[in-house]
Amino acid sequence: MTFNGIKQMASETKLPLHEAALVAELSETGNNPEETRAQLGEFLRVILEESEKQYGKVQETLTGLTGTNAKKVYDRGVLYHSPFTHVAIVASLSICESNASMGRVVACPTAGASGVIPGVFYALAKENEIPFDHLLPGYILASAIGNVIATKATLAGAAGGCQAEIGSAAAMAAGALAYLSGGDAEMVDSAAALVLKSLLGLVCDPVGGFVEVPCVKRNAIAVTAAISAAELALSGVSSVIPFDETVDAMRRIGRTLPMELRETGLGGLATTPTAKKAVDRILTRFQKS
Amino acid sequence: MSLLDVGGPVMIGPSSSHTLGALRIGRFGNYFLGKTPDKAEFFLHQSFGQTYMGHGTDRALLGGVMGFGDADRAVKNAFALALSRGLDFSFQQEDLGEVHPNTVKMLLYDGAMPQEIWASSVGAGMIRIIKINGVDCDLSGAYPTLILVNKDTPRALGMILEKIDANVANLYLRRINKLLAKALTIVELDSDLTLRSLLEIKSLSVIQEAYYVKSLSAPIQGKGGEGR
């Protein structure tokens, strides 16, 4: 599946972009469009439920390195961002801190990057009061954008670094936001490409190998990047490099990343003095319990 | 990949490889026994062994052994729930040799003799069962699976296949011991066997041991944990 392929099918059949993605899915996997739509709807429902439930809450995470950040940002309220982006940031932190405390999440596209999509969709539901049925086409399209990346490259940090997880999540969120805001196919392409280009090369270097530092806060920063990219694209700013080619570049970059920077905990932030001290502290605490 | 692989699944965090995969491995053990064991001993290899506490791999394995589903909130409280259900458990690190970094050996007791299952979590929540009671295999757990130890004699396979009333997706055969004339037959099916078919297979003269493991993606029966 390529994004160009979906765009072409949409223009030939006069179908909306997300419907074209469902048809492309049918022709590639044989999956029934109505069943796919219903199942994706279930995933979106869980995302909105969990965002509502965990919003701004303190969580007791497995390592204790995170867990209070969503509440801090929620309590402080809007500073520089719009209320929309503020809600997106809080929802994103809330989901990721819930994930780190063995809460229920939707691994869209992965568990480690599971906060970006909820950020955008919960803000649309809560702040802009977009009803569920109008959000679902955006979730279908986000999944299709992710599937383009999975087909051409990878969604796994262990294979392609964090660009493949958070980068992909941000591209999916930006594309969906542009689409749900009335953007045409070229705007969706640009929104996804613009944010992915900004996150290319991002490495996967979590402290101790655990899904907490820097993953939780990276989700929150990425959701603002996704919103920025959608805003640029909707204003008519186009990406010079189209989305499909950006994904090809991501694949090539991922292949040249050394093993130390692909979810092994052996490079980058994971090897800083503070990270090493934190891991020692965590392991001591585990041994006591 | 499909749209559904990207848009989901719903799971208990924090990691699809270290938590979801572990939960599914444990659940395979539950389905293999057909019940929650009295005692479960887990031996964790490499990455599983080094990071299991920070990923909740231990709670996930234990929750799985109790039959909890992929998104059951009770996984978080698996230690307390295991104790209250009389399930004794232990975790330790062990070098399991040349296997995937995320591999676990499980000894599951229902009575004195344990069932020994080796399994790897290979990414995105997918698992491979690589050894059962000392015999190498390669199962995904995604299909209803019939695992048979049978006499290594002519027409044994034909007799088994004759009784199977579901479509066969994959079929594996391996000789366990030529001297004892024992063979392993693993049949992955597209749909569940009828009880009648299973009983007929179990009563065949060539069958020495028979296990029927339902698909990991089958709907969870009973109440599972308490947190759904």
Side-chain angles (χ1 to χ4, degrees):
Chain A
M1 191 182 278
T2 66
F3 200 68
N4 270 339
I6 296 171
K7 281 194 294 190
Q8 204 179 335
M9 179 172 301
S11 82
E12 282 167 8
T13 57
K14 308 280 178 233
L15 284 172
L17 213 46
H18 71 282
E19 297 292 347
L22 288 172
V23 175
E25 168 85 354
L26 171 67
S27 67
E28 285 186 15
T29 66
N31 288 340
N32 177 308
E34 289 322 305
E35 286 170 14
T36 302
R37 189 196 313 273
Q39 184 61 60
L40 290 173
E42 284 307 304
F43 294 150
L44 177 59
R45 216 176 283 284
V46 173
I47 284 176
L48 296 174
E49 263 174 40
E50 286 296 325
S51 301
E52 177 82 25
K53 192 167 168 192
Q54 309 299 346
Y55 193 77
K57 285 208 179 126
V58 170
Q59 306 279 352
E60 196 180 323
T61 67
L62 286 161
T63 71
L65 291 174
T66 64
T68 58
N69 300 299
K71 181 168 192 310
K72 281 178 189 158
V73 181
Y74 172 70
D75 285 348
R76 180 62 188 79
V78 180
L79 272 167
Y80 296 109
H81 279 303
S82 65
F84 180 90
T85 310
H86 177 80
V87 169
I89 293 172
V90 175
S92 182
L93 288 170
S94 302
I95 290 292
C96 289
E97 291 186 327
S98 170
N99 181 54
S101 66
M102 302 196 81
R104 184 176 68 143
V105 297
V106 179
C108 175
T110 65
S114 60
V116 180
I117 299 275
V120 162
F121 280 85
Y122 187 67
L124 284 167
K126 202 71 185 172
E127 204 48 41
N128 293 12
E129 299 177 353
I130 312 284
F132 181 85
D133 290 346
H134 293 218
L135 290 176
L136 183 54
Y139 194 70
I140 294 168
L141 191 63
S143 301
I145 291 169
N147 201 23
V148 168
I149 301 174
T151 309
K152 293 168 76 81
T154 176
L155 294 170
C162 192
Q163 57 169 4
E165 298 215 16
I166 299 263
S168 300
M172 293 158 67
L177 182 56
Y179 189 54
L180 293 175
S181 309
D184 62 21
E186 291 314 314
M187 287 172 172
V188 171
D189 188 304
S190 280
L194 284 167
V195 74
L196 183 56
K197 286 195 300 184
S198 305
L199 295 170
L200 283 181
L202 196 63
V203 301
C204 183
D205 53 354
V207 174
F210 308 130
V211 194
E212 286 198 51
V213 177
C215 322
V216 168
K217 294 161 209 159
R218 233 179 228 176
N219 272 266
I221 307 279
V223 84
T224 64
I227 294 167
S228 300
E231 191 150 320
L232 292 184
L234 289 164
S235 309
V237 176
S238 64
S239 175
V240 173
I241 313 294
F243 180 67
D244 280 331
E245 290 183 41
T246 306
V247 175
D248 292 334
M250 188 191 98
R251 180 187 66 241
R252 292 195 299 272
I253 293 167
R255 278 195 186 152
T256 57
L257 282 181
M259 171 272 284
E260 284 80 359
L261 299 174
R262 286 185 281 116
E263 208 178 339
T264 53
L266 299 173
L269 293 172
T271 48
T272 56
T274 302
K276 288 177 184 168
K277 266 186 242 163
V279 170
D280 285 344
R281 217 169 45 236
I282 293 161
L283 293 180
T284 312
R285 208 189 73 193
F286 281 153
Q287 274 152 15
K288 280 183 197 157
S289 64
Chain B
M1 290 286 267
S2 78
L3 292 189
L4 298 182
D5 295 323
V6 178
V10 184
M11 59 172 273
I12 295 300
S15 162
S16 56
S17 56
H18 286 70
T19 320
L20 178 59
L23 180 62
R24 289 176 174 170
I25 287 171
R27 198 158 77 240
F28 182 90
N30 178 288
Y31 291 175
F32 185 81
L33 258 68
K35 60 184 287 202
T36 300
D38 311 325
K39 185 166 82 167
E41 295 171 345
F42 300 95
F43 301 85
L44 303 146
H45 183 63
Q46 284 187 9
S47 176
F48 257 18
Q50 286 149 17
T51 69
Y52 70 94
M53 290 172 177
H55 282 123
T57 308
D58 43 5
R59 303 185 215 198
L61 284 165
L62 202 55
V65 161
M66 290 187 280
F68 296 176
D70 290 349
D72 192 333
R73 292 184 207 276
V75 172
K76 191 175 178 177
N77 304 318
F79 294 145
L81 288 167
L83 291 174
S84 74
R85 293 175 186 196
L87 164 57
D88 195 10
F89 58 87
S90 69
F91 296 90
Q92 49 199 294
Q93 296 186 29
E94 186 168 297
D95 184 347
L96 298 175
E98 294 298 309
V99 290
H100 190 282
N102 294 333
T103 297
V104 57
K105 175 175 85 178
M106 303 189 287
L107 294 183
L108 306 177
Y109 293 80
D110 174 26
M113 282 295 291
Q115 304 284 357
E116 181 179 323
I117 298 170
W118 292 41
S120 308
S121 175
V122 297
M126 286 181 293
I127 65 164
R128 308 302 302 181
I129 307 298
I130 60 170
K131 197 185 282 193
I132 297 174
N133 291 332
V135 181
D136 291 337
C137 58
D138 182 21
L139 302 177
S140 67
Y143 300 93
T145 304
L146 192 58
I147 301 165
L148 306 167
V149 176
N150 56 278
K151 286 184 193 160
D152 192 6
T153 54
R155 288 194 296 279
L157 180 63
M159 292 165 73
I160 294 164
L161 292 179
E162 171 74 30
K163 300 291 183 192
I164 290 177
D165 61 3
N167 190 48
V168 173
N170 299 301
L171 174 67
Y172 307 92
L173 291 176
R174 186 168 284 125
R175 174 169 289 154
I176 301 173
N177 187 318
K178 191 171 181 182
L179 197 64
L180 298 175
K182 274 172 85 168
L184 176 77
T185 301
I186 292 175
V187 192
E188 292 185 321
L189 303 161
D190 282 330
S191 59
D192 274 311
L193 278 183
T194 60
L195 184 61
R196 180 183 164 170
S197 169
L198 184 59
L199 291 175
E200 284 183 359
I201 291 164
K202 282 184 173 176
S203 66
L204 287 171
S205 60
V206 293
I207 297 296
Q208 296 173 333
E209 291 174 51
Y211 303 92
Y212 183 65
V213 188
K214 62 186 171 182
S215 162
L216 287 175
S217 44
I220 304 292
Q221 288 169 359
K223 70 187 175 96
E226 287 157 6
R228 266 183 299 161

